Amino acid sequence: MRVRLKNVSKAYAAGSQRQSVLADVSAEFASGRFVVLVGRSGSGKSTLLNLIAGFDAPDAGSIHIADQLVSAGDDQARTLFRRRHLGFVFQFFNLLPTLTVAENVQLPLELLDEPLAAARNRVEEALDEVNMTAYGERFPEELSGGEQQRVAIARALVHRPAIVLADEPTGNLDLDTAHQVIELLDNACQRHGTTLIMATHSNEVIGVADEVHELRGGQLTAT
């Protein structure tokens, strides 16, 4: 799915003032591309991902995903759209500690009311794709950071989303593991024709991406 931002602005309260994070940002990310967002901490990378995801709404401007104006819908409409069409990978994995690996991966399918037998097959396929099939009955605390991130990738892809949003997915990993995770995520998205939009500080990712955009001073610039 194509993502199109038009004149998007966002500011947050900072004491008695409002701090501008994004100022009149326009961009278009084509379907199936690996897009990297770079910029200093606090430059607005996570804010932009949250706006695309519909977790937050812009103060001005519009965000289209395919033909859907996601920035204009109410909370319920954005939630339903997000569940079906988007997947997420976070820096801190966000796996539920009381659920097994397989149960964590199955969560997006449960939210979509996928029949149990079909859901289990999809979970097995997703775990196989990230080489974690043997870990289905383990709990997150029994896994290394790299293994937890592999599970998080499986969870992000299990419902075949059109777009995956990744926020600093290698931030808690050593360099070698980070390389492996990026390669795995990129390859999986390519196989499914999934658009991957990633916010990162990692220079290693830049050489893998199809396109790189820098956020600075509230502006988004292709590099």
Side-chain angles (χ1 to χ4, degrees), residues 34-54:
F34 181 3
V35 178
V36 164
L37 307 176
V38 298
R40 297 175 61 181
S41 180
S43 62
K45 300 187 301 296
S46 295
T47 296
L48 186 54
L49 291 183
N50 286 339
L51 292 175
I52 294 171

Side-chain angles (χ1 to χ4, degrees), residues 45 87 98 125-126 169 181:
K45 300 187 301 296
T98 58
E125 292 172 1
V181 165

Side-chain angles (χ1 to χ4, degrees), residues 76-131:
Q76 183 178 14
R78 292 201 302 266
T79 296
L80 293 174
F81 184 86
R82 185 165 56 241
R83 284 179 181 175
R84 182 161 298 280
H85 298 294
L86 304 183
F88 302 92
V89 183
F90 303 96
Q91 179 177 351
F92 297 103
F93 319 131
N94 286 14
L95 301 177
L96 297 180
T98 58
L99 300 182
T100 66
V101 163
E103 289 168 341
N104 268 283
V105 174
Q106 190 170 317
L107 278 176
L109 300 175
E110 292 182 359
L111 291 172
L112 293 171
D113 295 322
E114 186 82 11
L116 184 58
R120 287 176 174 168
N121 288 336
R122 293 281 288 274
V123 169
E124 289 180 9
E125 292 172 1
L127 288 175
D128 180 63
E129 191 164 32
V130 297
N131 302 314

Side-chain angles (χ1 to χ4, degrees), residues 1-76:
M1 282 186 176
R2 181 183 64 171
V3 178
R4 183 159 52 92
L5 314 171
K6 185 176 181 181
N7 304 122
V8 172
S9 296
K10 186 66 180 179
Y12 293 102
S16 59
Q17 305 293 322
R18 285 184 65 79
Q19 178 67 45
S20 177
V21 181
L22 302 173
D24 203 32
V25 169
S26 295
E28 186 170 315
F29 308 136
S31 179
R33 302 281 282 176
F34 181 3
V35 178
V36 164
L37 307 176
V38 298
R40 297 175 61 181
S41 180
S43 62
K45 300 187 301 296
S46 295
T47 296
L48 186 54
L49 291 183
N50 286 339
L51 292 175
I52 294 171
F55 290 129
D56 204 353
D59 296 330
S62 62
I63 301 172
H64 284 82
I65 297 179
D67 296 324
Q68 179 80 26
L69 180 60
V70 296
S71 55
D74 58 24
D75 288 343
Q76 183 178 14

